[in-house]
Amino acid sequence: MIEKGRSQKLKRLLSVQRHIERMAENDLAETSRQRIEVNAAMDDVIVALGSMDPVHHAFSQNYADRFGRLTIKDQQLTGMQQIHEMRLTRERAKADRLEEGMKEALDAERREADDNAVYDVIDQQFATPASSKLQKP
């Protein structure tokens, strides 16, 4: 019975850990999405800086400043993305270990149940009246 409780506890922990893993995946996906947006904005600024349109020449300093800010933001997002990737790897490894532990606990439960069934059959064989008559002589 204790082992069955252990496997159930591990199953609940596994469920929570997989949820944490999904949260880490979502954080990573959001950071990746933000990086894509920042890179697209950087590309737009580069196009504007390289444009021969006189309107863009008037704002070239603003574009250069914006590009600098976008570069810094991209570097920050890159760092965040690496952190999220490491977190995802760590959470996935925890979940995989919990899953292995749960499988081992379930196997132990099955073995114990099988052993108990065999012991019950043996006990029943020795508890029958026919077997008690055989033991008297």
Side-chain angles (χ1 to χ4, degrees):
M1 279 299 182
I2 294 173
E3 287 296 316
K4 188 166 192 160
R6 181 173 179 263
S7 69
Q8 292 300 318
K9 287 178 187 178
L10 287 172
K11 184 177 180 180
R12 287 192 302 269
L13 284 172
L14 176 62
S15 173
V16 170
Q17 189 61 41
R18 290 295 183 196
H19 182 74
I20 291 170
E21 180 184 345
R22 283 190 301 275
M23 289 171 45
E25 285 175 346
N26 290 337
D27 290 345
L28 178 60
E30 177 62 22
T31 303
S32 296
R33 185 194 59 76
Q34 289 176 359
R35 279 197 68 208
I36 290 169
E37 289 177 0
V38 167
N39 286 327
M42 289 171 71
D43 290 344
D44 291 343
V45 171
I46 289 172
V47 168
L49 276 171
S51 173
M52 298 309 262
D53 191 342
V55 172
H56 291 298
H57 287 285
F59 296 108
S60 63
Q61 185 58 45
N62 291 341
Y63 292 150
D65 292 342
R66 176 151 172 77
F67 187 79
R69 288 190 305 272
L70 288 170
T71 301
I72 291 170
K73 182 152 181 113
D74 184 52
Q75 291 170 349
Q76 291 171 339
L77 288 171
T78 300
M80 286 178 59
Q81 185 173 6
Q82 291 171 343
I83 290 169
H84 288 310
E85 287 170 351
M86 289 186 304
R87 179 176 161 229
L88 177 60
T89 302
R90 185 176 60 244
E91 299 301 340
R92 186 168 286 148
K94 285 181 188 177
D96 291 345
R97 283 193 307 269
L98 281 171
E99 187 172 9
E100 284 297 316
M102 184 189 73
K103 287 178 182 178
E104 288 173 7
L106 285 172
D107 288 343
E109 286 174 16
R110 288 185 187 117
R111 280 193 305 274
E112 183 179 355
D114 291 344
D115 290 348
N116 288 338
V118 168
Y119 292 140
D120 288 343
V121 168
I122 292 171
D123 288 344
Q124 288 174 1
Q125 289 294 321
F126 285 114
T128 60
S131 64
S132 62
K133 290 179 185 176
L134 294 175
Q135 292 176 355
K136 286 185 180 179

